[in-house]
Amino acid sequence: MSILIKNGRIVTAAEDYIADIYVEGEQISAIGKNLKVDAEKVIDAEGMLVFPGGIDPHVHLEMPFMGTFSSDTYETGTLAALHGGTTMVIDFVLQTQGKSLRNALDQWKGRSNGNCYGDYSFHMAVTDFNDETKKEIQQFIEEEGIVSFKTFMAYKGALMIDDGQMVGLMQEVRKHGGIVTVHATNGDMIDSLIAKHRKEGKMSPLYHYLSQPEVTEAEASGRFTDMANYADCPGYIVHMTCEGALNAVRKATMRNQKVFVETCIQYLIVDASLYEEPDFGGAKWVMSPPLREKKDQTALWSGINQGLVQVVGTDHCPFKWDQKLMGKDDFSKIPNGHPAIEHRVELLYSEGVAKDKITLNKFVEVTSTNAAKIMGMYPQKGCIAIGSDADLVIFDPNEKHKLSVDTHHMNVDYSCYEGWEVQGKTKTVLLRGQVAIDNGEVKIEKGYGQFVKRNKVKGII
Ligand code: URP
Ligand code: ZN
Ligand code: ZN
């Protein structure tokens, strides 16, 4: 199959120009003005932006968590992502404590293989680092193409590792050219605040927020950064929410340390006042870490512009309303997570570019290019260049529309963003040279999405 995309405004992390893109098979084979080629299909992109397919490096599909499973499957989640301009996601495999990494990977492969519409990869979450799991690290990096290892400094008893395990893992990952990522919050402090609030009978969603004050994230982010510096290992802090945590990692830039920061779209655009929504409405926003204050949004936007925050993901971890109701009488039982995989690109364009908070190039950097670089997939993914995968979004920057449960494709029976007016719409999406979505219509089959083996990051980042 060959496709010619004509006269689009091509935007990458570094460039912005009008030209044609010629796609042959799965890759881009030429870029230029008035390309004279024979194409089986021609797409007129005049007046449209054309940017690299979005990469969301933080999603949880069909994940067993808090006594239930996140409600988007690999099928529904990757399809919803494509509708919104995200062509690739990175999901998390969770090791069961006491078992091997391989044991968990096999389970995750069983759920995902052949079921994805969009491309995907896995981070391996190490929840029990010991002499046995240590041996698996090299194998994961070199044979599986899984180069990022996730850690949790919270969720004690299920996912959390201690600082000794953290440093041991960092040393092993560093040796083999990978990267350690982290949910950086102080689990012990949070657990004691949860216990205190429950003892006092404070059971509403607001107390989820009040059990995870900013200091719990700032302290853990600083501690993680220091441990990564000690182990000389590249680090990546997921879902950063606040000014205190951002300030705690500033020291990494002073000492020329590789610590990357991801925030998520929700932390940039909504705040903690939502925990007081009536009728248990605050449960929609129960996620960890929680939403923060307006001053934190300001800090995150400026962190993006300063280059201190490199990635905007979603931490997409959807639960249907009856699942959220598991915590009706006790906030600590509300499954943590919110649905956003479909809306990240459009919301960031609308709230960031259209409102002049970030440039178009920065938008491409944080929605696609930086994730590809940091996670070992560049320039296969995350750019528009000859030889790169033809993962392309053709986007109307002017079309306005409203987000709603009635029109979204995620497997959730409410929208956190119900009625939110967005400027900019994903019109056509190409994934490895195939039109995947065109004006809301799906043009590929389930199973088209492929697992992407990633490269060692050593020497790249
Ligand atoms: O609330 C969240 N974030 N749920 C998913 C698990 C995690 O901590 O990322
Ligand atoms: Zn987390
Ligand atoms: Zn997460």
Side-chain angles (χ1 to χ4, degrees):
M1 178 75 181
S2 59
I3 302 178
L4 179 65
I5 302 169
K6 283 197 72 65
N7 289 319
R9 180 174 164 195
I10 299 172
V11 186
T12 67
E15 293 160 321
D16 187 342
Y17 57 98
I18 293 176
D20 303 341
I21 301 175
Y22 185 49
V23 174
E24 282 180 295
E26 297 198 346
Q27 275 96 35
I28 295 170
S29 66
I31 302 171
K33 296 258 184 212
N34 300 315
L35 288 179
K36 300 277 176 276
V37 288
D38 279 330
E40 286 157 78
K41 182 178 173 68
V42 177
I43 299 175
D44 176 9
E46 188 155 350
M48 300 286 142
L49 303 178
V50 183
F51 47 76
I55 299 171
D56 187 342
H58 193 152
V59 308
H60 303 276
L61 303 175
E62 264 177 282
M63 181 177 80
F65 190 53
M66 294 183 75
T68 185
F69 277 78
S70 55
S71 60
D72 261 317
T73 61
Y74 288 91
E75 176 181 343
T76 62
T78 57
L79 185 55
L82 281 174
H83 276 285
T86 291
T87 49
M88 172 163 181
V89 299
I90 313 184
D91 185 63
F92 293 82
V93 176
L94 304 184
Q95 177 192 12
T96 301
Q97 292 180 340
K99 299 211 165 132
S100 66
L101 305 185
R102 171 72 47 195
N103 170 274
L105 181 61
D106 287 346
Q107 290 174 41
W108 260 256
K109 280 184 176 173
R111 288 195 283 274
S112 58
N113 270 1
N115 288 326
C116 292
Y117 278 88
D119 282 358
Y120 66 105
S121 180
F122 291 132
H123 305 281
M124 181 67 232
V126 180
T127 64
D128 188 359
F129 184 70
N130 55 46
D131 287 345
E132 292 310 306
T133 45
K134 185 175 174 181
K135 292 182 198 144
E136 298 186 271
I137 302 294
Q138 181 174 12
Q139 207 186 37
F140 269 60
I141 293 178
E142 284 171 7
E143 290 166 28
E144 299 293 340
I146 294 177
V147 300
S148 46
F149 294 85
K150 170 76 181 294
T151 58
F152 291 89
M153 296 168 85
Y155 303 121
K156 201 170 188 166
L159 302 174
M160 179 169 153
I161 57 170
D162 65 29
D163 292 349
Q165 291 176 304
M166 178 71 88
V167 172
L169 174 67
M170 285 173 165
Q171 288 169 332
E172 195 60 20
V173 169
R174 176 205 182 276
K175 193 155 95 193
H176 300 291
I179 185 167
V180 172
T181 81
V182 68
H183 171 124
T185 62
N186 184 317
D188 285 336
M189 277 180 81
I190 293 168
D191 287 347
S192 76
L193 283 166
I194 292 174
K196 172 181 175 292
H197 288 135
R198 293 178 78 217
K199 200 165 159 201
E200 292 167 355
K202 294 169 173 165
M203 295 298 202
S204 72
L206 177 66
Y207 289 92
H208 170 79
Y209 164 63
L210 294 174
S211 298
Q212 301 201 32
E214 182 174 7
V215 62
T216 59
E217 195 180 332
E219 185 282 326
S221 299
R223 184 159 35 107
F224 174 81
T225 302
D226 287 340
M227 289 187 285
N229 188 44
Y230 171 75
D232 191 21
C233 179
Y236 177 98
I237 302 179
V238 306
H239 56 36
M240 189 177 283
T241 68
C242 58
E243 187 184 14
L246 208 51
N247 285 336
V249 301
R250 255 177 234 283
K251 58 187 167 188
T253 56
M254 324 277 210
R255 53 197 185 196
N256 198 24
Q257 191 189 343
K258 292 180 179 109
V259 170
F260 302 96
V261 174
E262 165 202 286
T263 188
C264 297
I265 186 66
Q266 61 273 22
Y267 301 123
L268 290 164
I269 63 173
V270 284
D271 65 67
S273 60
L274 294 170
Y275 289 112
E276 293 182 274
E277 277 189 5
D279 303 323
F280 196 55
K284 288 191 294 233
W285 301 102
V286 167
M287 63 186 80
S288 293
L291 302 176
R292 302 285 184 199
E293 308 295 319
K294 293 245 186 294
K295 59 108 182 151
D296 298 300
Q297 293 176 7
T298 306
L300 292 172
W301 284 112
S302 56
I304 290 176
N305 282 320
Q306 291 164 16
L308 203 56
V309 175
Q310 289 84 13
V311 174
V312 178
T314 56
D315 193 8
H316 175 77
C317 190
F319 296 100
K320 290 188 172 178
W321 195 241
D322 63 347
Q323 295 175 290
K324 287 283 182 182
L325 285 173
M326 289 162 64
K328 177 110 190 62
D329 302 315
D330 179 352
F331 70 88
S332 71
K333 298 196 165 57
I334 302 170
N336 285 203
H338 110 299
I341 202 167
E342 186 167 353
H343 301 322
R344 177 185 69 120
V345 169
E346 289 175 352
L347 279 171
L348 191 68
Y349 182 87
S350 188
E351 296 297 316
V353 181
K355 294 191 176 167
D356 222 12
K357 287 196 173 80
I358 56 171
T359 65
L360 253 178
N361 298 116
K362 183 59 90 174
F363 162 79
V364 173
E365 229 186 272
V366 299
T367 54
S368 179
T369 310
N370 284 348
K373 287 183 177 168
I374 297 166
M375 294 299 161
M377 301 179 279
Y378 189 85
Q380 179 191 352
K381 302 282 189 195
C383 68
I384 299 182
I386 292 167
S388 294
D389 281 0
D391 299 346
L392 298 165
V393 176
I394 302 176
F395 190 85
D396 184 341
N398 298 314
E399 186 170 330
K400 293 195 167 120
H401 60 114
K402 282 193 175 151
L403 306 182
S404 170
V405 64
D406 299 329
T407 47
H408 76 203
H409 302 83
M410 300 176 287
N411 186 32
V412 205
D413 48 2
Y414 57 88
S415 173
C416 282
Y417 302 95
E418 189 62 47
W420 193 298
E421 189 169 85
V422 169
Q423 180 184 332
K425 191 159 177 39
T426 300
K427 303 300 288 182
T428 304
V429 179
L430 271 73
L431 173 58
R432 280 180 289 102
Q434 292 285 321
V435 175
I437 303 289
D438 193 26
N439 270 313
E441 275 184 43
V442 184
K443 302 286 186 187
I444 52 172
E445 302 288 323
K446 179 173 98 169
Y448 182 74
Q450 294 291 301
F451 182 80
V452 177
K453 279 193 169 185
R454 295 182 280 129
N455 302 310
K456 293 185 184 192
V457 300
K458 198 180 168 94
I460 298 178
I461 53 176

